[in-house]
Amino acid sequence: MKILITGGCGYIGSHTAVELLNANYEVVIIDNFSNSKRDVLDKIKVITGKNFSFYEGDVCDKEILRQIFSENKIDGVIHFAGFKAVGESVSKPLMYYRNNLDSTLSLLEVMNEMNCKKLVFSSSATVYGDCHETRFVETIKKGTPSNPYGKTKTMIEDILEDLYHADPTWSITMLRYFNPVGSHSSGLIGDDPSGIPNNLMPYILRVAVGQLECLTIFGNDYDTPDGTCIRDYIHVVDLAQGHIKALEQLLNNEPKIRIYNLGSGQGVSVTEIVTTFEKVNNLKLNYKYGARRNGDLPAICADPTLALKELGWKTTKTLEDMCRDSYNFIIKNSQNKN
């Protein structure tokens, strides 16, 4: 089976490429390196000992997509490509709407032309938006995300639902991620965002290696055991393996549209992440508590029951694994930069 991965050099895409190759799938990657690095291609080969096809290009470009499909018999697509920085999406909404929607529409139109109708879509728990549940199940009505990035995920889910209802020969799985952290145990690939990180773990890592001075924890007066926000964190390798399970189901069953939460089902507070990181890696972080951030809910957690029931998938890695593997990656990456 040959699988196309859009955005396959990015954080989650590269880890998924590794898991696909290890599971003996043939892999084709398209990436334009807008938020990824070219050396990831060699690192995937080093980790797996396997080769794959690569096309440098923008998923908004139908011509390169047509070239890929004409030169390869693609059995299914995993669609990661898209801009993902929440803060940047607020300041540059048009860029996010144009890129994330255009890339998806171009991909779907070319897949339709080439009669390849099996898609796994990289969605997000942000589609639950302003829902005030603390434990999210897939049947909850989607809310209104607080930022354009989240809104593009909601819009794309709507597009995919409309596409399936118009043409039930499509087989589509939408995976709603919670908070991916960690890195491959080799330390070769991991989360290395451009600029100042938006997410907690990359920020912790930059502070740990002295690239940033101090971590600010936003709010310590929430109605939680230690006063800081609780979130559901998932190791990126567990997340990647969730894509393999979703792909296997999609390739081997009748056409259908499916939605799954991919999370641990266990809430972890910000302070707990920080203290675990310090303990596992035997270091002290410079951090302080600041004011609450607008829009942050006290506690958000996945209900991953459906993924276990229908995909046979559950997380296997611990918070300690997430902290250890993340630090291993940043240390190796920092050394390579020096």
Side-chain angles (χ1 to χ4, degrees), residues 167-238:
D167 181 0
T169 63
W170 278 82
S171 194
I172 298 167
T173 300
M174 301 184 285
L175 300 178
R176 293 174 178 170
Y177 313 159
F178 279 68
N179 294 274
V181 296
S183 302
H184 190 268
S185 59
S186 66
L188 290 175
I189 56 174
D191 194 5
D192 190 17
S194 303
I196 296 176
N198 285 271
N199 297 326
L200 176 61
M201 185 61 80
Y203 209 104
I204 288 175
L205 295 175
R206 301 285 176 88
V207 173
V209 297
Q211 294 176 8
L212 292 172
E213 183 180 347
C214 181
L215 168 71
T216 299
I217 297 174
F218 298 107
N220 62 345
D221 58 351
Y222 286 97
D223 185 18
T224 61
D226 63 23
T228 62
C229 288
I230 290 174
R231 295 293 182 265
D232 188 326
Y233 294 91
I234 174 175
H235 196 294
V236 67
V237 173
D238 279 333

Side-chain angles (χ1 to χ4, degrees), residues 268-334:
V268 178
S269 76
V270 177
T271 296
E272 189 178 352
I273 286 252
V274 169
T275 56
T276 303
F277 187 92
E278 290 180 323
K279 180 179 178 181
V280 166
N281 297 307
N282 193 29
L283 53 76
K284 292 298 292 181
L285 287 170
N286 184 23
Y287 67 93
K288 64 182 181 181
Y289 294 102
R292 293 187 183 192
R293 202 167 45 178
N294 286 338
D296 278 350
L297 297 175
I300 297 173
C301 194
D303 184 335
T305 305
L306 190 63
L308 175 60
K309 179 182 176 182
E310 296 190 2
L311 300 179
W313 174 89
K314 64 178 180 179
T315 58
T316 62
K317 294 185 178 291
T318 64
L319 178 59
E320 288 78 9
D321 294 328
M322 299 176 204
C323 293
R324 185 182 303 109
D325 291 342
S326 295
Y327 189 56
N328 182 40
F329 168 73
I330 197 72
I331 288 295
K332 290 191 175 183
N333 188 60
S334 299

